[in-house]
Amino acid sequence: MGGLAIAKPWVPLTAAAAAALPAQLGVYEIADADGTVVRIGYAGGRQPFGLRSALAAEVEAGLGTQFRHEATHGYLTRWEELLMLHRAAHGSLPTGNADRRTPVGRLRPLT
Amino acid sequence: MDFTLTDEQQLIVDTVRRFVAEEVVPLEADLDPDAGELDPDDHARLVAMTREMGFYGFDIPEEFGGPGLDVTTRALMAIEMSQHRAGLYTPCYGTFGGAGLAQLFEATEEQKERYLYPTLRGEKLGCFALTEPSGGSDPGRAIQTRGHQDGDEWVLNGAKLYISGADKADYALVFARTSDDGGATAGRNGVTAFIVETDTPGFNVRRVVHTLRSTRYATEISFDEMRVPAENVLGEVNRGFAIANDRLSRQRIPYAAGCLGVAIKAQEMAIAWAKEREVFGERLAEKQSIQWMLVDNEIDIRHARWCILEAAQAADRNDRFRTEAAMAKLVATEASGRVVDRAMQIHGGLGMTKDLPLERWYRELRIRRVGEGPSEVQRLIMAREILGGSFK
Ligand SMILES: Cc1cc2nc3c(=O)[nH]c(=O)nc-3n(C[C@H](O)[C@H](O)[C@H](O)COP(=O)(O)OP(=O)(O)OC[C@H]3O[C@@H](n4cnc5c(N)ncnc54)[C@H](O)[C@@H]3O)c2cc1C
């Protein structure tokens, strides 16, 4: 962690892949087939089975075709950080986060 | 010393208590257990209510449009306002407004127009950038951010660490070394305070710093050839340390009060659970070891309350209150940590879960023993006063 994107390869977003996830708190990114991130989300304390439940819901939502995740207790801070990093790199939030109604911080990471 | 509440204070306390119980706590049932923000519509609705009650901006001095409450009444309010899950770091989710950075009360009229008043109206956000990678306990010696004058501007270079809210702030209060002529006071006289707009080229939020606190994260920022207009110097050049210090002293009373509120709530929860839960054929409350934990909690709570109100009353009398505020900060942060820890123990497995706010308070209270000056620095402040200025 610490100023970095999720350091994991993309995995196909399927019901089976979601079901195999640990029931831990954490963050994830959903991407389309080209690898463009379409949503950054988190599995928080209200998810019955953490990442497993959150990604199962993403399979249902069908916004993208692949995902990567990271288990962390600091899921809210990490979520904010990923949103900031995305905006710093691409100039805007992922399309799936367009409904965000509170401000996202400004980050200018060292490259 | 009389800590009996006046009728007006009792009315205010009752009103805030009802607001927390009826308006804030129910919203938390639907929020993530670590959440630090309300839905904007809920926030606006609650702000309208606190305005209606005449409490919005309760911390703002009367001369700047606040309700003119004394420090004791504000401390009593702060004790109530933190009694919910997110209450330690975001009491009532900020719906009572804020006084902004108190140092701006010393600003020039033009600076107040640009920064203070919009902040008090809730239109601008500031952050406080004192601590550096080289240290925060002793900023007079540790500050390595440098500023030099170039015509009508100052050029700042350096870095700040653990700065809360820098990524969303409109301006930052930045402390930089502008002279090496510290002399006997070792650097304290060479620090200047600057009001820096965060969109200034060279103001860079480099990273999020992950801590035990899951919302209101800290950040690391760097200043790279950052040019600040000379009119944005706050106070006098080379006299910024006194401004930083003054804020830290005043801030200690509400900081302590927030911790106490959480401890009171944790104790209420522990008592309720101890009366209900049975082990080995008896309720927990019937076990002496549990009773003693609850008594130790009560001692910690009353000790912290005494110190906070003593400091607040000294401030209201315009007496010196450095030792009192340091003691309140030290006692309340440490006592509250113990209270929440015992409350978790009494709750057993449930106390460790996110089903209850205890684990969040436990994590956040740990930061309180370091933030705004670690316990050791509070002891240092008190030792200096107890031993007297002549002791070297
Ligand atoms: C979540 C978080 C948010 C923060 N937000 C801000 C912010 O918005 N703005 C800001 O400017 N700073 C902020 N801080 C920084 C905070 O004020 C500092 O961490 C604190 O002042 C201690 O400084 P330090 O971490 O550099 O520790 P150091 O100064 O290196 O001290 C390390 C330890 O040494 C011990 N120590 C210090 N002095 C003495 C002594 N005289 N005798 C014996 N032992 C001693 C203490 O145990 C102390 O914890 C934040 C910190 C955290 C964790």
Side-chain angles (χ1 to χ4, degrees), chain B residues 283-312:
Chain B
R283 276 179 293 217
L284 285 174
E286 289 167 86
K287 303 284 183 196
Q288 193 184 43
S289 59
I290 300 294
Q291 291 171 359
W292 286 16
M293 279 196 230
L294 294 171
V295 170
D296 286 345
N297 276 357
E298 201 60 31
I299 293 168
D300 273 334
I301 286 169
R302 290 189 194 204
H303 184 193
R305 186 169 187 273
W306 178 279
C307 290
I308 290 164
L309 293 182
E310 190 186 18

PDB file of all heavy atoms in Angstrom, chain B residues 283-312:
ATOM      1  N   ARG B 283     -25.268 -12.946  36.171  1.00  0.00           N
ATOM      2  CA  ARG B 283     -25.011 -11.846  35.253  1.00  0.00           C
ATOM      3  C   ARG B 283     -23.595 -11.298  35.480  1.00  0.00           C
ATOM      4  O   ARG B 283     -23.086 -11.355  36.607  1.00  0.00           O
ATOM      5  CB  ARG B 283     -26.052 -10.749  35.430  1.00  0.00           C
ATOM      6  CG  ARG B 283     -27.307 -11.068  34.612  1.00  0.00           C
ATOM      7  CD  ARG B 283     -28.315 -10.022  34.791  1.00  0.00           C
ATOM      8  NE  ARG B 283     -28.777 -10.063  36.178  1.00  0.00           N
ATOM      9  CZ  ARG B 283     -30.028  -9.836  36.541  1.00  0.00           C
ATOM     10  NH1 ARG B 283     -30.926  -9.560  35.631  1.00  0.00           N
ATOM     11  NH2 ARG B 283     -30.383  -9.873  37.803  1.00  0.00           N
ATOM     12  N   LEU B 284     -23.015 -10.778  34.401  1.00  0.00           N
ATOM     13  CA  LEU B 284     -21.655 -10.215  34.516  1.00  0.00           C
ATOM     14  C   LEU B 284     -21.583  -9.195  35.645  1.00  0.00           C
ATOM     15  O   LEU B 284     -20.599  -9.125  36.376  1.00  0.00           O
ATOM     16  CB  LEU B 284     -21.256  -9.535  33.195  1.00  0.00           C
ATOM     17  CG  LEU B 284     -20.882 -10.420  32.019  1.00  0.00           C
ATOM     18  CD1 LEU B 284     -20.659  -9.565  30.777  1.00  0.00           C
ATOM     19  CD2 LEU B 284     -19.621 -11.223  32.325  1.00  0.00           C
ATOM     20  N   ALA B 285     -22.644  -8.396  35.780  1.00  0.00           N
ATOM     21  CA  ALA B 285     -22.638  -7.316  36.770  1.00  0.00           C
ATOM     22  C   ALA B 285     -22.510  -7.849  38.198  1.00  0.00           C
ATOM     23  O   ALA B 285     -22.159  -7.102  39.112  1.00  0.00           O
ATOM     24  CB  ALA B 285     -23.905  -6.476  36.624  1.00  0.00           C
ATOM     25  N   GLU B 286     -22.783  -9.121  38.374  1.00  0.00           N
ATOM     26  CA  GLU B 286     -22.679  -9.698  39.721  1.00  0.00           C
ATOM     27  C   GLU B 286     -21.258 -10.181  40.031  1.00  0.00           C
ATOM     28  O   GLU B 286     -20.962 -10.560  41.161  1.00  0.00           O
ATOM     29  CB  GLU B 286     -23.691 -10.833  39.865  1.00  0.00           C
ATOM     30  CG  GLU B 286     -25.130 -10.297  39.927  1.00  0.00           C
ATOM     31  CD  GLU B 286     -26.178 -11.380  39.750  1.00  0.00           C
ATOM     32  OE1 GLU B 286     -26.537 -12.014  40.738  1.00  0.00           O
ATOM     33  OE2 GLU B 286     -26.617 -11.579  38.593  1.00  0.00           O
ATOM     34  N   LYS B 287     -20.407 -10.217  39.039  1.00  0.00           N
ATOM     35  CA  LYS B 287     -19.021 -10.663  39.241  1.00  0.00           C
ATOM     36  C   LYS B 287     -18.181  -9.480  39.724  1.00  0.00           C
ATOM     37  O   LYS B 287     -18.177  -8.414  39.098  1.00  0.00           O
ATOM     38  CB  LYS B 287     -18.421 -11.176  37.915  1.00  0.00           C
ATOM     39  CG  LYS B 287     -19.204 -12.296  37.277  1.00  0.00           C
ATOM     40  CD  LYS B 287     -18.954 -13.588  38.001  1.00  0.00           C
ATOM     41  CE  LYS B 287     -19.686 -14.739  37.333  1.00  0.00           C
ATOM     42  NZ  LYS B 287     -19.767 -15.912  38.222  1.00  0.00           N
ATOM     43  N   GLN B 288     -17.437  -9.713  40.795  1.00  0.00           N
ATOM     44  CA  GLN B 288     -16.683  -8.587  41.357  1.00  0.00           C
ATOM     45  C   GLN B 288     -15.638  -8.037  40.375  1.00  0.00           C
ATOM     46  O   GLN B 288     -15.413  -6.833  40.308  1.00  0.00           O
ATOM     47  CB  GLN B 288     -15.995  -9.018  42.654  1.00  0.00           C
ATOM     48  CG  GLN B 288     -15.477  -7.821  43.421  1.00  0.00           C
ATOM     49  CD  GLN B 288     -14.706  -8.214  44.655  1.00  0.00           C
ATOM     50  OE1 GLN B 288     -13.897  -9.146  44.634  1.00  0.00           O
ATOM     51  NE2 GLN B 288     -14.961  -7.536  45.752  1.00  0.00           N
ATOM     52  N   SER B 289     -15.012  -8.923  39.618  1.00  0.00           N
ATOM     53  CA  SER B 289     -13.966  -8.421  38.699  1.00  0.00           C
ATOM     54  C   SER B 289     -14.567  -7.494  37.645  1.00  0.00           C
ATOM     55  O   SER B 289     -13.923  -6.531  37.209  1.00  0.00           O
ATOM     56  CB  SER B 289     -13.229  -9.582  38.035  1.00  0.00           C
ATOM     57  OG  SER B 289     -14.140 -10.377  37.314  1.00  0.00           O
ATOM     58  N   ILE B 290     -15.811  -7.774  37.259  1.00  0.00           N
ATOM     59  CA  ILE B 290     -16.480  -6.894  36.285  1.00  0.00           C
ATOM     60  C   ILE B 290     -16.885  -5.588  36.977  1.00  0.00           C
ATOM     61  O   ILE B 290     -16.723  -4.489  36.417  1.00  0.00           O
ATOM     62  CB  ILE B 290     -17.710  -7.600  35.671  1.00  0.00           C
ATOM     63  CG1 ILE B 290     -17.298  -8.889  34.939  1.00  0.00           C
ATOM     64  CG2 ILE B 290     -18.495  -6.663  34.745  1.00  0.00           C
ATOM     65  CD1 ILE B 290     -16.442  -8.701  33.707  1.00  0.00           C
ATOM     66  N   GLN B 291     -17.399  -5.717  38.190  1.00  0.00           N
ATOM     67  CA  GLN B 291     -17.763  -4.501  38.940  1.00  0.00           C
ATOM     68  C   GLN B 291     -16.548  -3.584  39.069  1.00  0.00           C
ATOM     69  O   GLN B 291     -16.649  -2.366  38.910  1.00  0.00           O
ATOM     70  CB  GLN B 291     -18.266  -4.865  40.342  1.00  0.00           C
ATOM     71  CG  GLN B 291     -19.595  -5.582  40.353  1.00  0.00           C
ATOM     72  CD  GLN B 291     -19.955  -6.121  41.738  1.00  0.00           C
ATOM     73  OE1 GLN B 291     -19.202  -5.976  42.704  1.00  0.00           O
ATOM     74  NE2 GLN B 291     -21.113  -6.751  41.829  1.00  0.00           N
ATOM     75  N   TRP B 292     -15.397  -4.185  39.337  1.00  0.00           N
ATOM     76  CA  TRP B 292     -14.206  -3.353  39.527  1.00  0.00           C
ATOM     77  C   TRP B 292     -13.774  -2.683  38.220  1.00  0.00           C
ATOM     78  O   TRP B 292     -13.284  -1.566  38.223  1.00  0.00           O
ATOM     79  CB  TRP B 292     -13.058  -4.192  40.120  1.00  0.00           C
ATOM     80  CG  TRP B 292     -13.288  -4.500  41.582  1.00  0.00           C
ATOM     81  CD1 TRP B 292     -14.474  -4.393  42.259  1.00  0.00           C
ATOM     82  CD2 TRP B 292     -12.333  -4.959  42.528  1.00  0.00           C
ATOM     83  NE1 TRP B 292     -14.312  -4.763  43.563  1.00  0.00           N
ATOM     84  CE2 TRP B 292     -13.000  -5.119  43.768  1.00  0.00           C
ATOM     85  CE3 TRP B 292     -10.976  -5.262  42.449  1.00  0.00           C
ATOM     86  CZ2 TRP B 292     -12.348  -5.551  44.916  1.00  0.00           C
ATOM     87  CZ3 TRP B 292     -10.330  -5.699  43.608  1.00  0.00           C
ATOM     88  CH2 TRP B 292     -11.001  -5.844  44.819  1.00  0.00           C
ATOM     89  N   MET B 293     -13.963  -3.400  37.123  1.00  0.00           N
ATOM     90  CA  MET B 293     -13.662  -2.753  35.828  1.00  0.00           C
ATOM     91  C   MET B 293     -14.561  -1.539  35.625  1.00  0.00           C
ATOM     92  O   MET B 293     -14.121  -0.483  35.170  1.00  0.00           O
ATOM     93  CB  MET B 293     -13.889  -3.737  34.673  1.00  0.00           C
ATOM     94  CG  MET B 293     -12.756  -4.702  34.451  1.00  0.00           C
ATOM     95  SD  MET B 293     -12.976  -5.423  32.803  1.00  0.00           S
ATOM     96  CE  MET B 293     -12.817  -7.125  33.187  1.00  0.00           C
ATOM     97  N   LEU B 294     -15.849  -1.723  35.969  1.00  0.00           N
ATOM     98  CA  LEU B 294     -16.787  -0.608  35.788  1.00  0.00           C
ATOM     99  C   LEU B 294     -16.441   0.545  36.735  1.00  0.00           C
ATOM    100  O   LEU B 294     -16.556   1.720  36.368  1.00  0.00           O
ATOM    101  CB  LEU B 294     -18.227  -1.083  36.015  1.00  0.00           C
ATOM    102  CG  LEU B 294     -18.738  -2.090  34.969  1.00  0.00           C
ATOM    103  CD1 LEU B 294     -20.085  -2.687  35.387  1.00  0.00           C
ATOM    104  CD2 LEU B 294     -18.864  -1.430  33.595  1.00  0.00           C
ATOM    105  N   VAL B 295     -16.003   0.202  37.932  1.00  0.00           N
ATOM    106  CA  VAL B 295     -15.597   1.247  38.885  1.00  0.00           C
ATOM    107  C   VAL B 295     -14.334   1.953  38.386  1.00  0.00           C
ATOM    108  O   VAL B 295     -14.237   3.190  38.419  1.00  0.00           O
ATOM    109  CB  VAL B 295     -15.375   0.643  40.291  1.00  0.00           C
ATOM    110  CG1 VAL B 295     -14.713   1.663  41.219  1.00  0.00           C
ATOM    111  CG2 VAL B 295     -16.707   0.186  40.878  1.00  0.00           C
ATOM    112  N   ASP B 296     -13.383   1.189  37.894  1.00  0.00           N
ATOM    113  CA  ASP B 296     -12.163   1.819  37.350  1.00  0.00           C
ATOM    114  C   ASP B 296     -12.524   2.736  36.175  1.00  0.00           C
ATOM    115  O   ASP B 296     -11.941   3.816  36.014  1.00  0.00           O
ATOM    116  CB  ASP B 296     -11.166   0.747  36.900  1.00  0.00           C
ATOM    117  CG  ASP B 296     -10.497   0.064  38.094  1.00  0.00           C
ATOM    118  OD1 ASP B 296     -10.585   0.613  39.219  1.00  0.00           O
ATOM    119  OD2 ASP B 296      -9.912  -1.018  37.916  1.00  0.00           O
ATOM    120  N   ASN B 297     -13.484   2.316  35.368  1.00  0.00           N
ATOM    121  CA  ASN B 297     -13.960   3.186  34.280  1.00  0.00           C
ATOM    122  C   ASN B 297     -14.510   4.493  34.853  1.00  0.00           C
ATOM    123  O   ASN B 297     -14.230   5.578  34.345  1.00  0.00           O
ATOM    124  CB  ASN B 297     -15.077   2.502  33.488  1.00  0.00           C
ATOM    125  CG  ASN B 297     -14.539   1.565  32.427  1.00  0.00           C
ATOM    126  OD1 ASN B 297     -13.336   1.469  32.235  1.00  0.00           O
ATOM    127  ND2 ASN B 297     -15.436   0.879  31.739  1.00  0.00           N
ATOM    128  N   GLU B 298     -15.312   4.357  35.884  1.00  0.00           N
ATOM    129  CA  GLU B 298     -15.941   5.542  36.466  1.00  0.00           C
ATOM    130  C   GLU B 298     -14.878   6.492  37.029  1.00  0.00           C
ATOM    131  O   GLU B 298     -14.979   7.714  36.869  1.00  0.00           O
ATOM    132  CB  GLU B 298     -16.911   5.092  37.575  1.00  0.00           C
ATOM    133  CG  GLU B 298     -17.975   6.099  37.928  1.00  0.00           C
ATOM    134  CD  GLU B 298     -18.892   6.463  36.769  1.00  0.00           C
ATOM    135  OE1 GLU B 298     -19.142   5.635  35.883  1.00  0.00           O
ATOM    136  OE2 GLU B 298     -19.331   7.635  36.756  1.00  0.00           O
ATOM    137  N   ILE B 299     -13.862   5.918  37.663  1.00  0.00           N
ATOM    138  CA  ILE B 299     -12.777   6.762  38.208  1.00  0.00           C
ATOM    139  C   ILE B 299     -12.085   7.495  37.057  1.00  0.00           C
ATOM    140  O   ILE B 299     -11.842   8.697  37.121  1.00  0.00           O
ATOM    141  CB  ILE B 299     -11.771   5.892  39.000  1.00  0.00           C
ATOM    142  CG1 ILE B 299     -12.440   5.337  40.263  1.00  0.00           C
ATOM    143  CG2 ILE B 299     -10.523   6.698  39.365  1.00  0.00           C
ATOM    144  CD1 ILE B 299     -11.637   4.246  40.970  1.00  0.00           C
ATOM    145  N   ASP B 300     -11.790   6.768  35.981  1.00  0.00           N
ATOM    146  CA  ASP B 300     -11.125   7.397  34.831  1.00  0.00           C
ATOM    147  C   ASP B 300     -11.998   8.512  34.243  1.00  0.00           C
ATOM    148  O   ASP B 300     -11.506   9.589  33.897  1.00  0.00           O
ATOM    149  CB  ASP B 300     -10.845   6.343  33.751  1.00  0.00           C
ATOM    150  CG  ASP B 300      -9.500   5.640  33.975  1.00  0.00           C
ATOM    151  OD1 ASP B 300      -8.608   6.236  34.598  1.00  0.00           O
ATOM    152  OD2 ASP B 300      -9.357   4.482  33.520  1.00  0.00           O
ATOM    153  N   ILE B 301     -13.290   8.240  34.119  1.00  0.00           N
ATOM    154  CA  ILE B 301     -14.203   9.218  33.517  1.00  0.00           C
ATOM    155  C   ILE B 301     -14.297  10.471  34.388  1.00  0.00           C
ATOM    156  O   ILE B 301     -14.198  11.600  33.902  1.00  0.00           O
ATOM    157  CB  ILE B 301     -15.595   8.575  33.299  1.00  0.00           C
ATOM    158  CG1 ILE B 301     -15.524   7.614  32.107  1.00  0.00           C
ATOM    159  CG2 ILE B 301     -16.674   9.632  33.092  1.00  0.00           C
ATOM    160  CD1 ILE B 301     -16.747   6.729  31.945  1.00  0.00           C
ATOM    161  N   ARG B 302     -14.460  10.263  35.679  1.00  0.00           N
ATOM    162  CA  ARG B 302     -14.605  11.444  36.552  1.00  0.00           C
ATOM    163  C   ARG B 302     -13.312  12.228  36.655  1.00  0.00           C
ATOM    164  O   ARG B 302     -13.328  13.459  36.723  1.00  0.00           O
ATOM    165  CB  ARG B 302     -15.062  11.005  37.941  1.00  0.00           C
ATOM    166  CG  ARG B 302     -16.490  10.507  37.903  1.00  0.00           C
ATOM    167  CD  ARG B 302     -17.012  10.277  39.266  1.00  0.00           C
ATOM    168  NE  ARG B 302     -18.237   9.507  39.188  1.00  0.00           N
ATOM    169  CZ  ARG B 302     -19.169   9.530  40.129  1.00  0.00           C
ATOM    170  NH1 ARG B 302     -19.026  10.290  41.186  1.00  0.00           N
ATOM    171  NH2 ARG B 302     -20.250   8.804  39.995  1.00  0.00           N
ATOM    172  N   HIS B 303     -12.193  11.534  36.638  1.00  0.00           N
ATOM    173  CA  HIS B 303     -10.895  12.213  36.669  1.00  0.00           C
ATOM    174  C   HIS B 303     -10.747  13.091  35.414  1.00  0.00           C
ATOM    175  O   HIS B 303     -10.373  14.266  35.494  1.00  0.00           O
ATOM    176  CB  HIS B 303      -9.796  11.140  36.742  1.00  0.00           C
ATOM    177  CG  HIS B 303      -8.417  11.674  36.884  1.00  0.00           C
ATOM    178  ND1 HIS B 303      -7.296  10.910  36.703  1.00  0.00           N
ATOM    179  CD2 HIS B 303      -7.953  12.913  37.172  1.00  0.00           C
ATOM    180  CE1 HIS B 303      -6.220  11.648  36.878  1.00  0.00           C
ATOM    181  NE2 HIS B 303      -6.583  12.861  37.161  1.00  0.00           N
ATOM    182  N   ALA B 304     -11.059  12.511  34.256  1.00  0.00           N
ATOM    183  CA  ALA B 304     -10.933  13.263  33.004  1.00  0.00           C
ATOM    184  C   ALA B 304     -11.901  14.450  32.990  1.00  0.00           C
ATOM    185  O   ALA B 304     -11.539  15.565  32.599  1.00  0.00           O
ATOM    186  CB  ALA B 304     -11.216  12.342  31.814  1.00  0.00           C
ATOM    187  N   ARG B 305     -13.118  14.221  33.464  1.00  0.00           N
ATOM    188  CA  ARG B 305     -14.127  15.283  33.465  1.00  0.00           C
ATOM    189  C   ARG B 305     -13.660  16.445  34.345  1.00  0.00           C
ATOM    190  O   ARG B 305     -13.759  17.606  33.969  1.00  0.00           O
ATOM    191  CB  ARG B 305     -15.457  14.709  33.963  1.00  0.00           C
ATOM    192  CG  ARG B 305     -16.613  15.670  33.878  1.00  0.00           C
ATOM    193  CD  ARG B 305     -17.945  14.966  34.136  1.00  0.00           C
ATOM    194  NE  ARG B 305     -19.046  15.857  33.884  1.00  0.00           N
ATOM    195  CZ  ARG B 305     -19.535  16.687  34.805  1.00  0.00           C
ATOM    196  NH1 ARG B 305     -19.028  16.712  36.019  1.00  0.00           N
ATOM    197  NH2 ARG B 305     -20.538  17.489  34.496  1.00  0.00           N
ATOM    198  N   TRP B 306     -13.136  16.097  35.508  1.00  0.00           N
ATOM    199  CA  TRP B 306     -12.635  17.116  36.431  1.00  0.00           C
ATOM    200  C   TRP B 306     -11.546  17.963  35.743  1.00  0.00           C
ATOM    201  O   TRP B 306     -11.583  19.192  35.781  1.00  0.00           O
ATOM    202  CB  TRP B 306     -12.089  16.414  37.687  1.00  0.00           C
ATOM    203  CG  TRP B 306     -11.502  17.365  38.676  1.00  0.00           C
ATOM    204  CD1 TRP B 306     -10.260  17.928  38.647  1.00  0.00           C
ATOM    205  CD2 TRP B 306     -12.146  17.910  39.844  1.00  0.00           C
ATOM    206  NE1 TRP B 306     -10.082  18.765  39.702  1.00  0.00           N
ATOM    207  CE2 TRP B 306     -11.221  18.780  40.466  1.00  0.00           C
ATOM    208  CE3 TRP B 306     -13.395  17.727  40.416  1.00  0.00           C
ATOM    209  CZ2 TRP B 306     -11.523  19.474  41.630  1.00  0.00           C
ATOM    210  CZ3 TRP B 306     -13.689  18.433  41.596  1.00  0.00           C
ATOM    211  CH2 TRP B 306     -12.764  19.285  42.184  1.00  0.00           C
ATOM    212  N   CYS B 307     -10.583  17.282  35.130  1.00  0.00           N
ATOM    213  CA  CYS B 307      -9.464  18.009  34.502  1.00  0.00           C
ATOM    214  C   CYS B 307      -9.954  18.902  33.360  1.00  0.00           C
ATOM    215  O   CYS B 307      -9.478  20.035  33.198  1.00  0.00           O
ATOM    216  CB  CYS B 307      -8.425  17.023  33.969  1.00  0.00           C
ATOM    217  SG  CYS B 307      -7.520  16.186  35.271  1.00  0.00           S
ATOM    218  N   ILE B 308     -10.893  18.401  32.565  1.00  0.00           N
ATOM    219  CA  ILE B 308     -11.388  19.178  31.420  1.00  0.00           C
ATOM    220  C   ILE B 308     -12.127  20.429  31.922  1.00  0.00           C
ATOM    221  O   ILE B 308     -11.887  21.544  31.441  1.00  0.00           O
ATOM    222  CB  ILE B 308     -12.326  18.309  30.542  1.00  0.00           C
ATOM    223  CG1 ILE B 308     -11.510  17.239  29.822  1.00  0.00           C
ATOM    224  CG2 ILE B 308     -13.101  19.171  29.544  1.00  0.00           C
ATOM    225  CD1 ILE B 308     -12.347  16.108  29.237  1.00  0.00           C
ATOM    226  N   LEU B 309     -13.010  20.238  32.887  1.00  0.00           N
ATOM    227  CA  LEU B 309     -13.791  21.387  33.349  1.00  0.00           C
ATOM    228  C   LEU B 309     -12.913  22.372  34.122  1.00  0.00           C
ATOM    229  O   LEU B 309     -13.115  23.594  34.049  1.00  0.00           O
ATOM    230  CB  LEU B 309     -14.979  20.909  34.197  1.00  0.00           C
ATOM    231  CG  LEU B 309     -16.033  20.121  33.406  1.00  0.00           C
ATOM    232  CD1 LEU B 309     -17.203  19.708  34.284  1.00  0.00           C
ATOM    233  CD2 LEU B 309     -16.555  20.913  32.203  1.00  0.00           C
ATOM    234  N   GLU B 310     -11.908  21.867  34.817  1.00  0.00           N
ATOM    235  CA  GLU B 310     -10.995  22.768  35.515  1.00  0.00           C
ATOM    236  C   GLU B 310     -10.231  23.637  34.501  1.00  0.00           C
ATOM    237  O   GLU B 310     -10.091  24.845  34.669  1.00  0.00           O
ATOM    238  CB  GLU B 310     -10.006  21.966  36.376  1.00  0.00           C
ATOM    239  CG  GLU B 310      -9.221  22.864  37.298  1.00  0.00           C
ATOM    240  CD  GLU B 310      -8.115  22.138  38.063  1.00  0.00           C
ATOM    241  OE1 GLU B 310      -7.713  21.028  37.652  1.00  0.00           O
ATOM    242  OE2 GLU B 310      -7.651  22.701  39.060  1.00  0.00           O
ATOM    243  N   ALA B 311      -9.770  23.006  33.430  1.00  0.00           N
ATOM    244  CA  ALA B 311      -9.050  23.757  32.388  1.00  0.00           C
ATOM    245  C   ALA B 311      -9.986  24.766  31.726  1.00  0.00           C
ATOM    246  O   ALA B 311      -9.615  25.928  31.484  1.00  0.00           O
ATOM    247  CB  ALA B 311      -8.493  22.793  31.346  1.00  0.00           C
ATOM    248  N   ALA B 312     -11.219  24.326  31.448  1.00  0.00           N
ATOM    249  CA  ALA B 312     -12.177  25.208  30.764  1.00  0.00           C
ATOM    250  C   ALA B 312     -12.521  26.409  31.654  1.00  0.00           C
ATOM    251  O   ALA B 312     -12.590  27.547  31.180  1.00  0.00           O
ATOM    252  CB  ALA B 312     -13.444  24.430  30.405  1.00  0.00           C
TER     253      ALA B 312
END
